[in-house]
Amino acid sequence: MISPCANGLFASDAKAAFELITVAPADCRTDHVDAVVLGWRSSAERIAREVRQQGYKGALIAALAKPSSADVVSALSSGCDDAQRFPTEPSELAVRISAIRRRIEGALTSSTIIKVGRLEIGRDGSDPRIDGKPLKVSPNCAKVLAIVAESPHPVPLARIALALYRGDPPPSKTVNTYLCMLRAIMSVATGEDRWLKRHDGGYVLYRP
């Protein structure tokens, strides 16, 4: 049986064996994580929102020791995908995570284009356009632009590096170079110099 935790990540393999890793909300966006299982206590609503604000888009499940309608409503309205009584069997948790991931993957494939004001770009950084005209940027610059465009919240430099290079991120100055190039290119293409800004410890795209 798996019991509720304060806040942690459950990484699973195909046999539904789970490993609990206690982490801060800012560390939730990692490639090996199947789900975040959050023990529903007094601070859980705030933590759930913070996990989403940090950019985590995977399965987020509220672990309820004594389920109530109020707790379920609170969990689902705070960004959780599911609210489940804990302790629970690993096999049941694995099936719930799989169902959530199918819904997430279906939503992503149905909308592969990000639109932000005059900008359109594929989620993978493909075919960037301003006012319908191709934006001439390098593939890596385009991927950085897509990462920032996809998030309504400031994206930390470390998260951009991780998303761009996975397990082998480059020095911060390399990603900073891409961001500087993008600022200059976007300024020329749009006639505006405010498209990419540093805000609250991260980078945010201007959303007119």
Side-chain angles (χ1 to χ4, degrees):
M1 299 289 282
I2 295 179
S3 299
C5 55
N7 61 291
L9 303 180
F10 283 100
S12 73
D13 60 22
K15 299 178 181 178
F18 291 84
E19 176 188 1
L20 172 63
I21 312 167
T22 302
V23 296
D27 298 325
C28 288
R29 191 170 179 174
T30 57
D31 292 335
H32 67 281
V33 170
D34 285 316
V36 175
V37 179
L38 178 61
W40 208 250
R41 298 177 174 84
S42 58
S43 61
E45 191 172 314
R46 174 186 58 78
I47 294 173
R49 289 198 175 99
E50 188 174 346
V51 167
R52 291 304 190 198
Q53 288 169 358
Q54 291 295 330
Y56 179 73
K57 294 181 174 60
L60 175 56
I61 299 174
L64 308 179
K66 295 181 179 180
S68 68
S69 295
D71 283 341
V72 171
V73 169
S74 174
L76 297 181
S77 63
S78 300
C80 292
D81 299 295
D82 194 6
Q84 169 67 13
R85 178 191 288 274
F86 276 66
T88 191
E89 293 292 340
S91 58
E92 180 180 348
L93 181 59
V95 170
R96 286 180 177 273
I97 291 172
S98 294
I100 292 169
R101 292 179 70 181
R102 285 197 301 271
R103 293 199 299 270
I104 293 170
E105 289 167 3
L108 288 176
T109 54
S110 66
S111 179
T112 58
I113 302 297
I114 304 167
K115 296 182 179 180
V116 183
R118 299 162 62 186
L119 170 70
E120 291 185 11
I121 188 170
R123 291 185 184 278
D124 58 356
S126 61
D127 199 24
R129 293 176 177 271
I130 294 289
D131 298 331
K133 299 177 181 178
L135 182 68
K136 295 182 179 180
V137 293
S138 70
N140 279 343
C141 280
K143 289 177 183 177
V144 171
L145 184 58
I147 292 165
V148 179
E150 188 177 13
S151 175
H153 308 287
V155 184
L157 192 65
R159 193 193 306 162
I160 296 173
L162 181 62
L164 193 60
Y165 290 94
R166 301 293 181 180
D168 187 25
S172 296
K173 63 180 182 181
T174 301
V175 181
N176 265 324
T177 299
Y178 294 144
L179 288 161
C180 289
M181 293 170 64
L182 275 173
R183 272 196 291 264
I185 293 169
M186 295 288 285
S187 177
V188 172
T190 65
E192 298 176 321
D193 61 0
R194 52 181 175 171
W195 276 88
L196 273 168
K197 284 190 174 182
R198 186 165 178 79
H199 179 68
D200 286 346
Y203 288 87
V204 65
L205 197 67
Y206 170 58
R207 297 169 183 269

